[in-house]
Amino acid sequence: MTIRTRKFFGTIFLLILVVVWSLLGMTVAQTPWLANNGWLQAAFYVIAGLGWVLPAMPIISWMSKADPVDPEAG
């Protein structure tokens, strides 16, 4: 797979990740045990806001991997 193809699919995967992550975050944020506590809300938003980076890192790493070099191509 060429780097161009990996970047195309990686972009789609990242967009899906962000949409799903935000929808899950909004769902959890509306739970009564979280909505009634300001400090817990603040901690949740910090963790949820930064948490999507961890699953995105392997996708970005995969996207930026160099194309394999063909020794017979000259």
Side-chain angles (χ1 to χ4, degrees):
M1 184 178 298
T2 65
I3 192 169
R4 189 173 184 159
T5 308
R6 281 194 306 273
K7 285 188 177 190
F8 174 72
F9 285 119
T11 302
I12 292 171
F13 294 150
L14 286 172
L15 289 172
I16 291 170
L17 172 68
V18 169
V19 168
V20 169
W21 192 269
S22 62
L23 291 174
L24 287 172
M26 287 187 290
T27 303
V28 173
Q30 297 302 314
T31 58
W33 59 272
L34 187 62
N36 294 331
N37 189 333
W39 287 105
L40 200 55
Q41 261 186 337
F44 169 76
Y45 283 116
V46 168
I47 293 168
L50 296 173
W52 69 274
V53 174
L54 291 175
M57 285 172 32
I59 298 172
I60 293 171
S61 174
W62 174 75
M63 285 169 57
S64 61
K65 188 170 59 170
D67 285 339
V69 178
D70 187 8
E72 295 179 9

